[in-house]
Amino acid sequence: MAAHRPGPLKQQNKAHKGGRHRGRGSAQRDGKGRLALKTLSKKVRKELSRVDQRHRASQLRKQKKEAVLAEKRQLGGKDGPPHQVLVVPLHSRICLPGAMQLLQDRDTGTVHLNELGNTQSFMLLCPRLKHRWFFTSARPGDLHTVLDMAKVADTILFLLDPLEGWDSTGDYCLSCLFAQGLPTYTLAVQGISGLPLKKQIDARKKLSKAVEKRFPHDKLLLLDTQQEAGMLLRQLANQKQQHLVFRDRRAYLFAHAVDFAPSEENNLVGTLKISGYVRGQTMNVNRLLHIVGHGDFQMKQIDAPGDPFPLNPRGIKPQKDPDMAMEICATDTVDDMEEGLKVLMRADPDRQESLQAEVIPDPMEGEQTWPTEEELSEAKDFLKESSKVVKKVPKGTSSYQAEWILDGGSQSGGEGDEYEYDDMEHEDFMEEESQDESGEEEEEECETMTVGESVHDDLYDEKVDEEAEAKMLEKYKQERLEEMFPDEVDTPRDVAARIRFQKYRGLKSFRTSPWDPKENLPQDYARIFQFQNFTNTRKSIFKEIEEKEVEGAEVGWYVTLHVSEVPVSVVECFRQGAPLIAFSLLPHEQKMSVLNMVVRRDPGNTEPVKAKEELIFHCGFRRFRASPLFSQHTAADKHKLQRFLTADMALVVTVYAPITFPPASVLLFKQKSNGMHSLIATGHLMSVDPDRMVIKRVVLSGHPFKIFTKMAVVRYMFFNREDVLWFKPVELRTKWGRRGHIKEPLGTHGHMKCSFDGKLKSQDTVLMNLYKRVFPKWTYDPYVPEPVPWVKSTTSASTKGTFSEKNINCK
């Protein structure tokens, strides 16, 4: 009997995989202590139970909450610096002295006015709330003061108008502050109680709706009575603080008192004593100090006088005799001054950082020595070998006979003679036609019209600067031509193209073709500093700030900085009312290098801005003037130059400036002829990299004169035969996507025969791309003149117009 054999459709069951269902214990026993490669390479994580995980999460939450509370208690407390509040009125109808008077509540605490007796800044000490405030103010028209004070303010108090919120000047100020970076802010409305009772609710609703565009989900507080001022102070004390990263990593100080001691040799330079509270980080005397708007300086020493505004002054029992009480108080203050004058640190010459900002170039560093005899002989042998040409000659021909035999490939056939012609008649015809057209234009321009005179027109014309109008019109024309024909230039007829474009080169591909970043560097590159690895240097400096303890004045101490070699103009600016702000520099931040910043055009500015124009930069805590380059923001190694600051995309601004470690905000201003500064672009600092290549492209255009299957005769790109031969290796392209190259020149007028990968259209244009690397101009200037205040009469924030220079009076 035959056995049954299964057919091809028999069901095949999967085998049991017993090894994959083992437990953890059996797997460890079978492994006998062996560990996987990932477990060995990575840190072994201890698996916690669910109860331990909950306990760990609660501990982390508790630590974060304690850190926030400690920061809140330190700011404005007895061990920390005073809570600095900047009051900014955003409308011309707001009465700033009235608001400051409401905040000076004698019942809430003790008020200390500044030394000059100006009510625009004062210290408020409130032992009941365990808090102390330092209130300062700035008008939105004074742009430098507002931006500088916002860099060091803990909170900005914006005062709004109950009807319009802010006017055009306030809107411009808000745009600048948002671009620079806002710290903690509070919105207060002044004057809403002066409206009729029925209109107050509608005014608050309309104002809340208008404010939502700039400040979404923010509550509006009132500031009309003493009770509302007290609620505002509690809000300021309990508000969560927002940090500005660029100032949290540096020590900075706002000057409460300034003294100047001129040097014996020169009265224009001396030692500046700046007194104030240390903020941000620990202040080290060996670091350099940057005074905003004036430059970098060295410190001699740091003193620690007594705190002039203690939150809890030493209590004195009340005396029956008031004269005796005055004597005791006076003697105590004298003792405090004598005890408090302590020298914290003196500068160590070996550890103090240098003020050297530029490298002193050695002119002999790049000098080459005369070659030796062996090198000369090797060069001769190489020339002999390279000069040998391989030719096809009959058998038995000697080397002397071979020299007289011409190479068949070098002979030019009669194909080129077929296209030789004389185009003088055509050029004469074009000239006559152009003369006729110009004559017709002159006749059309000579039309006469009778126009009535107006006194208002004459008055308007007196204010117009015709020269400035002509320059602006020329800029608009250039920007329009750049948009229509990007990078296209006309080949000059009086200068040979091979001389005019001798610094340019052709590239097979702009993206992939190699370009050495160290090639043909300018002389200014010998003066700058460059990091071997900027990212690693930045990380190591920031890590050292977080982990390493620095000797010096701690945060919250009232100190006096002795700054050496300071010009007397710094003190004069302070006495005129300008704030004095000092930042401690990180290592290398005084040295010059090439900074790259990513910016975007401000929508409120439409004037054309050309590359290498002088602009005003607000980069982090610095303020300077320079002439930048604009380039495309791409991820490639080469970046194309932009001749104008375009509005539709982000660009990279390249400029010579002192090193600043990002993150840092960037604001670009342009000074007008009337002295005002207009905001042009905003962005952030990207990197400090001199090797970032900005490539300028030049496009030469020609027109097809005779078109064949894949050949064409092109003219008007060059105007002599030598230029055609010089640029023969460069690839050609057309606006309709064809690619080709030059075959040979025709005649002596710059006509050339070209071959393409397809047939050309008669309306197509032949283009040749040439490239060269460009560098910014060294025009760095740390001095920026004060701008004319931006002020405008009562206008709503939505309207736009020109600003008028008027003084605002409190109504």
Side-chain angles (χ1 to χ4, degrees):
M1 184 176 177
H4 173 72
R5 295 183 178 179
L9 301 178
K10 182 180 182 299
Q11 178 179 344
Q12 298 287 339
N13 295 326
K14 290 184 178 179
H16 179 63
K17 301 176 182 179
R20 295 193 181 181
H21 296 280
R22 292 180 302 170
R24 189 189 304 169
S26 62
Q28 289 178 354
R29 284 193 300 272
D30 294 343
K32 297 180 180 179
R34 290 190 295 268
L35 295 174
L37 182 62
K38 290 185 178 180
T39 311
L40 287 172
S41 59
K42 295 183 180 179
K43 187 181 288 187
V44 180
R45 292 184 180 180
K46 186 178 180 181
E47 295 185 4
L48 300 175
S49 63
R50 187 166 295 179
V51 177
D52 293 338
Q53 288 177 3
R54 291 175 181 171
H55 181 61
R56 185 182 179 186
S58 65
Q59 283 182 331
L60 291 175
R61 283 197 303 271
K62 187 177 179 181
Q63 289 176 3
K64 291 181 180 179
K65 189 179 293 185
E66 288 177 353
V68 172
L69 288 174
E71 180 187 359
K72 189 180 293 185
R73 291 189 186 115
Q74 185 185 20
L75 181 62
K78 62 177 182 178
D79 298 329
H83 190 155
Q84 186 162 341
V85 181
L86 174 63
V87 183
V88 181
L90 295 179
H91 203 282
S92 58
R93 287 200 293 259
I94 293 173
C95 183
L96 181 60
M100 299 293 277
Q101 195 67 36
L102 285 174
L103 294 172
Q104 297 175 19
D105 188 4
R106 307 282 177 175
D107 299 333
T108 305
T110 309
V111 178
H112 296 274
L113 301 178
N114 61 355
E115 294 179 0
L116 300 177
N118 187 5
T119 57
Q120 301 302 310
S121 63
F122 62 92
M123 186 78 69
L124 177 62
L125 308 178
C126 184
R128 182 166 55 88
L129 295 177
K130 298 180 181 180
H131 211 83
R132 53 179 176 172
W133 292 273
F134 177 61
F135 284 92
T136 58
S137 62
R139 287 285 180 185
D142 193 358
L143 193 61
H144 280 188
T145 303
V146 173
L147 293 178
D148 291 344
M149 296 286 288
K151 292 172 184 174
V152 295
D154 299 311
T155 304
I156 299 180
L157 176 60
F158 292 114
L159 299 181
L160 307 178
D161 182 72
L163 298 178
E164 297 177 355
W166 53 78
D167 55 9
S168 52
T169 310
D171 187 61
Y172 177 74
C173 178
L174 285 176
S175 300
C176 297
L177 287 173
F178 272 98
Q180 180 178 267
L182 267 182
T184 310
Y185 61 88
T186 303
L187 305 178
V189 184
Q190 185 195 40
I192 201 168
S193 61
L195 299 175
L197 195 61
K198 295 181 179 179
K199 294 184 178 180
Q200 289 184 10
I201 299 175
D202 294 338
R204 293 189 66 172
K205 288 182 179 179
K206 290 180 181 178
L207 187 60
S208 300
K209 195 171 183 179
V211 166
E212 278 184 359
K213 298 177 182 179
R214 287 277 191 183
F215 307 97
H217 312 296
D218 283 323
K219 186 179 179 182
L220 295 176
L221 301 177
L222 302 180
L223 186 59
D224 289 325
T225 63
Q226 208 71 53
Q227 184 180 2
E228 293 169 351
M231 293 176 61
L232 179 60
L233 289 176
R234 291 188 185 90
Q235 168 72 11
L236 295 175
N238 299 324
Q239 202 171 14
K240 183 181 178 181
Q241 293 297 311
Q242 297 179 3
H243 296 275
L244 296 179
V245 184
F246 79 91
R247 74 180 185 185
D248 287 344
R249 292 194 173 104
R250 298 171 178 86
Y252 60 97
L253 179 142
F254 179 83
H256 289 265
V258 171
D259 189 17
F260 183 75
S263 63
E264 299 176 357
E265 301 175 356
N266 189 1
N267 293 331
L268 300 177
V269 178
T271 301
L272 185 68
K273 299 178 182 178
I274 308 174
S275 300
Y277 293 92
V278 179
R279 301 169 184 269
Q281 295 289 334
T282 304
M283 181 77 73
N284 191 350
V285 72
N286 294 318
R287 294 275 176 87
L288 296 180
L289 195 72
H290 176 79
I291 300 177
V292 176
H294 298 284
D296 304 335
F297 304 95
Q298 286 181 330
M299 289 184 283
K300 287 183 179 178
Q301 68 181 40
I302 299 179
D303 297 341
D307 192 344
F309 310 108
L311 183 60
N312 296 314
R314 190 162 54 189
I316 302 171
K317 293 183 179 180
Q319 301 289 335
K320 295 181 180 179
D321 189 1
D323 297 334
M324 183 66 69
M326 291 289 290
E327 291 177 4
I328 293 173
C329 184
T331 53
D332 287 345
T333 54
V334 172
D335 293 339
D336 289 343
M337 291 296 290
E338 291 177 355
E339 293 175 2
L341 285 176
K342 300 176 184 177
V343 178
L344 285 179
M345 287 185 71
R346 295 187 188 274
D348 186 2
D350 297 333
R351 299 172 57 190
Q352 192 173 28
E353 293 188 12
S354 172
L355 281 171
Q356 182 184 0
E358 303 176 15
V359 180
I360 301 174
D362 185 7
M364 300 298 293
E365 188 176 358
E367 192 70 20
Q368 295 182 353
T369 57
W370 189 257
T372 61
E373 294 182 358
E374 295 179 358
E375 291 174 344
L376 289 172
S377 61
E378 289 177 1
K380 288 180 181 179
D381 296 339
F382 178 76
L383 287 174
K384 288 180 180 178
E385 292 178 1
S386 61
S387 62
K388 293 180 179 179
V389 180
V390 179
K391 294 183 178 181
K392 291 184 178 181
V393 296
K395 291 183 178 181
T397 306
S398 63
S399 59
Y400 176 75
Q401 292 173 335
E403 293 289 339
W404 290 92
I405 298 176
L406 295 175
D407 190 7
S410 62
Q411 294 177 355
S412 61
E415 187 180 3
D417 300 334
E418 182 182 352
Y419 298 103
E420 290 184 0
Y421 57 91
D422 187 3
D423 58 348
M424 292 299 292
E425 296 180 1
H426 181 75
E427 290 181 359
D428 294 338
F429 172 74
M430 294 295 291
E431 290 177 2
E432 292 175 3
E433 188 177 0
S434 62
Q435 288 177 1
D436 295 339
E437 290 176 359
S438 63
E440 293 175 2
E441 290 176 358
E442 289 177 358
E443 291 178 1
E444 291 175 359
E445 290 176 358
C446 294
E447 293 180 359
T448 58
M449 294 180 65
T450 304
V451 182
E453 296 182 356
S454 174
V455 179
H456 298 287
D457 293 344
D458 295 339
L459 293 175
Y460 182 81
D461 291 341
E462 289 179 359
K463 300 178 182 179
V464 175
D465 188 357
E466 294 183 2
E467 186 177 354
E469 289 283 325
K471 289 182 180 178
M472 189 59 64
L473 178 62
E474 186 64 27
K475 279 188 182 179
Y476 275 114
K477 287 182 179 179
Q478 292 178 5
E479 186 180 30
R480 181 62 177 163
L481 283 174
E482 183 66 21
E483 290 179 2
M484 296 173 63
F485 309 102
D487 302 324
E488 289 193 29
V489 297
D490 295 330
T491 307
R493 305 197 64 170
D494 54 344
V495 182
R498 62 185 181 278
I499 298 175
R500 169 63 181 83
F501 304 110
Q502 60 185 348
K503 294 184 179 180
Y504 291 81
R505 69 181 72 176
L507 294 178
K508 181 71 175 176
S509 171
F510 182 78
R511 185 178 62 87
T512 59
S513 296
W515 197 310
D516 187 9
K518 303 296 184 184
E519 178 186 354
N520 294 332
L521 298 179
Q523 190 67 27
D524 290 335
Y525 263 53
R527 302 165 57 185
I528 65 173
F529 291 85
Q530 183 178 5
F531 294 98
Q532 188 172 3
N533 192 326
F534 176 74
T535 305
N536 288 351
T537 305
R538 173 176 168 271
K539 285 182 180 178
S540 62
I541 290 176
F542 288 170
K543 188 177 181 180
E544 185 180 350
I545 292 172
E546 296 174 358
E547 298 178 356
K548 189 177 180 181
E549 294 184 0
V550 182
E551 297 179 358
E554 297 290 338
V555 177
W557 290 4
Y558 186 83
V559 298
T560 299
L561 308 179
H562 294 250
V563 189
S564 59
E565 300 297 326
V566 180
V568 71
S569 59
V570 179
V571 188
E572 293 175 354
C573 292
F574 178 77
R575 288 171 181 169
Q576 291 173 2
L580 197 150
I581 298 166
F583 276 86
S584 179
L585 298 182
L586 298 179
H588 314 296
E589 283 197 329
Q590 80 279 12
K591 299 172 182 176
M592 295 291 292
S593 188
V594 178
L595 269 61
N596 302 306
M597 314 167 188
V598 179
V599 299
R600 188 177 287 275
R601 185 74 180 265
D602 184 68
N605 188 283
T606 57
E607 293 184 2
V609 181
K610 202 173 181 180
K612 296 188 179 180
E613 280 189 26
E614 187 181 73
L615 300 178
I616 297 170
F617 288 76
H618 286 248
C619 180
F621 54 88
R622 289 190 184 273
R623 187 168 66 231
F624 57 89
R625 291 185 295 174
S627 300
L629 291 179
F630 305 136
S631 59
Q632 293 179 352
H633 184 33
T634 58
D637 59 340
K638 296 181 287 295
H639 312 273
K640 194 174 80 69
L641 174 77
Q642 294 291 116
R643 289 175 170 82
F644 289 88
L645 184 62
T646 55
D648 54 346
M649 61 179 176
L651 297 179
V652 176
V653 173
T654 303
V655 68
Y656 289 114
I659 294 170
T660 303
F661 290 103
S665 59
V666 174
L667 281 77
L668 269 64
F669 294 89
K670 185 177 180 182
Q671 186 170 0
K672 295 184 177 181
S673 57
N674 57 2
M676 294 183 181
H677 291 181
S678 60
L679 182 64
I680 290 176
T682 59
H684 64 275
L685 179 62
M686 182 177 67
S687 65
V688 180
D689 185 13
D691 286 343
R692 187 180 185 275
M693 292 184 291
V694 180
I695 308 299
K696 180 181 180 181
R697 185 181 72 171
V698 164
V699 179
L700 305 181
S701 59
H703 301 275
F705 179 60
K706 290 184 179 181
I707 300 175
F708 302 96
T709 307
K710 288 189 177 181
M711 304 284 289
V713 177
V714 180
R715 60 178 176 177
Y716 300 147
M717 183 177 287
F718 303 108
F719 297 100
N720 57 69
R721 185 183 183 88
E722 291 77 12
D723 289 344
V724 177
L725 293 172
W726 181 269
F727 290 99
K728 187 178 178 181
V730 183
E731 187 182 18
L732 300 176
R733 67 178 182 89
T734 69
K735 289 189 175 181
W736 287 40
R738 296 298 180 191
R739 291 187 174 272
H741 60 276
I742 301 172
K743 293 288 287 183
E744 59 181 352
L746 300 176
T748 59
H749 295 284
H751 293 222
M752 54 190 182
K753 183 169 64 174
C754 307
S755 63
F756 295 91
D757 56 356
K759 189 175 182 180
L760 292 186
K761 302 289 184 181
S762 59
Q763 65 270 29
D764 205 348
T765 305
V766 182
L767 305 175
M768 177 184 287
N769 294 340
L770 300 176
Y771 304 92
K772 80 165 181 177
R773 186 179 178 184
V774 291
F775 303 90
K777 294 169 64 178
W778 191 294
T779 57
Y780 171 78
D781 186 4
Y783 173 72
V784 178
E786 290 292 329
V788 175
W790 283 78
V791 179
K792 189 177 179 181
S793 57
T794 55
T795 309
S796 62
S798 60
T799 59
K800 294 183 180 179
T802 57
F803 292 92
S804 61
E805 302 169 31
K806 296 182 181 178
N807 294 324
I808 295 179
N809 296 323
C810 181
K811 295 183 181 180

